[in-house]
Amino acid sequence: MAETAARPSAAAPVGPAAPAPTRREQILREAARLFAERGFHGVGVDEIGAAVGISGPGLYRHFAGKDAMLAELLVGISGRLLTSGRERRAAAEAADAGPAAVLDSLIDGHIDFALDDRALIILHDRELGQLRDVDRKQVRSLQRQYVELWVEVVRALHPGVAEDDARAAVHAVFGLLNSTPHLGRAGGLPGRDATAALLRRLAHGALSALTGPVRL
């Protein structure tokens, strides 16, 4: 009886396990958490090393220092958002979906980021100025491309909307979605699905207002 109960059900196959994070990924994840909690200058290399179970000097086999970690975190997430946005648009267009479906996918992708990478939002808001000029310019360039991708989709859905208005609305939606670090502790939110649904409604409502009646 016990042996039978222990066998996995044939009706519920187990999918492939997600690959374990690399040591480099572990270091970046803990660095992001610590930087967000205590500030870039409030965290030492030894503390980051201790969080992943290696000595502080051992980190230098992976990164030149804290500056390099911060740069990879902020440049990396800006690049991932842009790549994900392009992939989502391409997938929707390949499925012959209209601009509304493309926008839905972009919003869902950004909500995933806003809920799952809250530490990186804090880092961007608070520590972007710590980057070298070349890294900060790269972040800004990637972000501009990401914004323009959204602007193109919004104007395809609402062709009568001026480009500047569409761009302002996209920035406003990003501000709304990126407010997740200010919504309370992660455990204090109403639940991931409920929060995602709320953010989705708010984002769609904000963009729909582009063509709605003007209230003074």
Side-chain angles (χ1 to χ4, degrees):
M1 181 80 69
E3 290 182 1
T4 302
R7 295 192 187 103
S9 169
V14 177
T22 65
R23 177 64 78 183
R24 189 180 182 87
E25 290 168 341
Q26 291 173 344
I27 292 169
L28 286 174
R29 182 177 59 204
E30 291 304 316
R33 178 182 65 82
L34 290 168
F35 291 159
E37 288 177 357
R38 293 159 49 190
F40 179 72
H41 292 298
V43 179
V45 170
D46 289 342
E47 295 167 277
I48 299 171
V52 295
I54 61 177
S55 67
L59 287 180
Y60 292 107
R61 291 197 296 270
H62 302 276
F63 295 96
K66 289 197 310 176
D67 290 346
M69 295 179 208
L70 183 63
E72 184 153 337
L73 285 166
L74 294 182
V75 173
I77 190 55
S78 298
R80 290 198 300 276
L81 281 171
L82 177 59
T83 297
S84 174
R86 287 171 170 169
E87 289 174 347
R88 285 174 174 272
R89 180 175 63 178
E93 291 175 348
D96 202 23
V102 179
L103 184 60
D104 286 347
S105 187
L106 289 178
I107 289 173
D108 285 347
H110 200 98
I111 287 173
D112 285 343
F113 156 69
L115 292 176
D116 298 337
D117 291 297
R118 297 169 75 190
L120 293 179
I121 296 174
I122 295 172
L123 287 189
H124 178 274
D125 289 347
R126 195 169 62 196
E127 310 290 0
L128 183 64
Q130 302 295 335
L131 295 182
R132 298 179 305 161
D133 284 346
V134 63
D135 293 323
R136 188 164 56 251
K137 288 177 180 178
Q138 187 176 3
V139 169
R140 293 301 193 194
S141 174
L142 292 166
Q143 289 175 339
R144 282 193 297 272
Q145 294 175 69
Y146 184 57
V147 168
E148 294 311 308
L149 186 155
W150 277 64
V151 170
E152 291 171 7
V153 174
V154 169
R155 296 191 72 213
L157 182 61
H158 303 297
V161 172
E163 184 175 328
D164 286 347
D165 289 345
R167 188 173 295 110
V170 167
H171 279 293
V173 168
F174 287 171
L176 186 159
L177 297 180
N178 292 348
S179 68
T180 50
H182 310 293
L183 299 181
R185 295 176 296 103
L189 296 176
R192 192 188 190 287
D193 290 346
T195 304
L198 173 61
L199 292 173
R200 192 174 296 112
R201 290 196 302 272
L202 292 173
H204 280 292
L207 293 171
S208 295
L210 279 168
T211 56
V214 176
R215 296 183 180 181
L216 300 179

